[in-house]
Amino acid sequence: MVAITVILAAVIAAFVFGMTDNLSPQKDVAVTAIQSTNADGDAILTVTIQGGSDVSLLSKVEYLLAEATTGTELIATPGLGVSGTVPLTAGQNNHVVIRGIFQDGTQQVLLDGNYYVAT
């Protein structure tokens, strides 16, 4: 009973003292990723924007690979149904992060996954 009271008091205090004011709401964007091979025989990951109420607010979609330190533009003009590709390296596990950059400057991870390409 005491533990419930303490937890309830902490939650109420967080709202009363404005501790939740600096949290930004998550944007709603859905993407899918399909691993395949392109015409040259190279392994790729095709990322497609499937929908979401905040698709129109996207200004750029980038990918980051585990071995890279900066993002590479994936889709120049993001929109519903627009796709881009990420090159994958054969013989290793490719850790890919897709992030959306929105018009208000906020960034959000849209997809985070590992894709293994056999040699």
Side-chain angles (χ1 to χ4, degrees):
M1 187 73 151
V2 172
I4 292 172
T5 304
V6 170
I7 292 170
L8 188 58
V11 170
I12 292 170
F15 284 106
V16 170
F17 295 119
M19 293 178 163
T20 59
D21 289 343
N22 61 354
L23 298 177
S24 60
Q26 293 291 306
K27 305 277 197 285
D28 178 31
V29 176
V31 298
T32 57
I34 299 173
Q35 185 175 338
S36 62
T37 306
N38 65 11
D40 296 329
D42 300 323
I44 60 169
L45 187 68
T46 302
V47 179
T48 305
I49 299 173
Q50 295 295 334
S53 59
D54 296 317
V55 169
S56 63
L57 302 177
L58 275 171
S59 61
K60 186 167 35 170
V61 176
E62 294 181 331
Y63 70 86
L64 298 140
L65 298 172
E67 58 276 356
T69 56
T70 60
T72 301
E73 189 168 307
L74 173 66
I75 301 169
T77 308
L80 187 61
V82 177
S83 295
T85 59
V86 177
L88 300 176
T89 304
Q92 73 178 35
N93 187 30
N94 296 267
H95 182 195
V96 179
V97 175
I98 306 296
R99 82 175 162 200
I101 300 173
F102 295 87
Q103 295 169 0
D104 63 2
T106 61
Q107 299 179 14
Q108 180 175 313
V109 173
L110 304 176
L111 181 132
D112 186 344
N114 293 304
Y115 301 90
Y116 180 76
V117 179
T119 54

